[in-house]
Amino acid sequence: MSEPTIRKSAAAFTVKRPQIRVPRGVRCTAWFAVVMFATLPVLAFAQPPCPGIHVKILNIRNSTGTIACALFESPDGFPNEFLHFATNIMIIKIRKSQARCDFEDIRPGTYAMAVIHDENMNGKLDSNWMGIPTEATVFSNDATALLGTPSFSTASFLYDGRKIDLTMSLNY
């Protein structure tokens, strides 16, 4: 009897690649270079934190009306006439019981912040006959007053031109 002839196709043969031995130090250096070049764009285009006064407002009772963030440089009109006397003002819609005001390009100096939930959107802080606010408010430094609103000097803070993050909760 003759032995059967086994035919192997060309696909059945495997080609072995020659192994090249790279010293460990060279491999480590190569990986280090790859990681450094991969992070280079992130390092090159990274920006420092945005300077300014950034305010996160919490404890908003409802989405009626708007939130007014008023930044004052002087006691003039603080805080009742925020539309007429505030140095910078942001009026924003309320989303999910929170709001955020970002004041950028603010010169260093002394400021006071008033945040008002202007539910009737009349552009001023409503108060009763005794001067006590009838709309929700919060002031920088958590400033309060026995009757009415706090003074500018009580609510004022020094801003040095760098980034400040404030979190303020409205008081109803």
Side-chain angles (χ1 to χ4, degrees), residues 57-70 82 90-95 97-99 114-126 133-139 169-172:
I57 300 103
L58 306 175
N59 195 33
I60 302 172
R61 176 172 59 192
N62 58 48
S63 59
T64 304
T66 57
I67 293 294
C69 298
F82 58 89
M90 292 188 78
I91 298 180
I92 54 176
K93 292 177 71 174
I94 302 162
R95 301 209 188 273
S97 302
Q98 291 185 2
V115 178
I116 298 138
H117 183 183
D118 191 10
E119 290 184 88
N120 61 3
M121 296 184 353
N122 66 350
K124 63 182 184 176
L125 175 58
D126 296 326
T134 56
E135 295 179 305
T137 58
V138 65
F139 304 97
S169 292
L170 287 171
N171 301 310
Y172 286 89

Side-chain angles (χ1 to χ4, degrees), residues 22 37 39 52 59 69 76 84 95 98 102 104 116 119-120 123 135 137 141 146 148 166 168:
V22 179
F37 285 118
T39 59
N59 195 33
C69 298
D76 296 335
H84 300 291
R95 301 209 188 273
Q98 291 185 2
D102 295 304
E104 297 173 354
I116 298 138
E119 290 184 88
N120 61 3
E135 295 179 305
T137 58
N141 294 336
L146 187 57
L166 302 173
M168 304 170 85

Side-chain angles (χ1 to χ4, degrees), residues 12-137:
F13 290 103
T14 58
V15 176
K16 289 188 177 181
R17 284 188 271 162
Q19 284 189 328
I20 300 173
R21 288 290 206 186
V22 179
R24 178 176 277 166
V26 173
R27 282 186 290 176
C28 290
T29 304
W31 276 112
F32 179 75
V34 167
V35 170
M36 287 305 295
F37 285 118
T39 59
L40 187 61
V42 173
L43 296 173
F45 296 109
Q47 295 180 355
C50 186
I53 301 169
H54 306 279
V55 185
K56 183 177 182 180
I57 300 103
L58 306 175
N59 195 33
I60 302 172
R61 176 172 59 192
N62 58 48
S63 59
T64 304
T66 57
I67 293 294
C69 298
L71 189 64
F72 290 82
E73 276 184 304
S74 74
D76 296 335
F78 179 82
N80 297 337
E81 297 294 326
F82 58 89
L83 276 183
H84 300 291
F85 291 98
T87 304
N88 295 72
I89 188 164
M90 292 188 78
I91 298 180
I92 54 176
K93 292 177 71 174
I94 302 162
R95 301 209 188 273
K96 298 181 182 179
S97 302
Q98 291 185 2
R100 182 172 176 89
C101 298
D102 295 304
F103 295 99
E104 297 173 354
D105 298 325
I106 304 296
R107 294 185 323 237
T110 301
Y111 295 93
M113 173 78 65
V115 178
I116 298 138
H117 183 183
D118 191 10
E119 290 184 88
N120 61 3
M121 296 184 353
N122 66 350
K124 63 182 184 176
L125 175 58
D126 296 326
S127 57
N128 62 18
W129 62 275
M130 291 176 37
I132 299 172
T134 56
E135 295 179 305
T137 58

Side-chain angles (χ1 to χ4, degrees), residues 3-9:
E3 287 191 34
T5 307
I6 300 175
R7 291 187 180 180
K8 291 187 178 181
S9 68

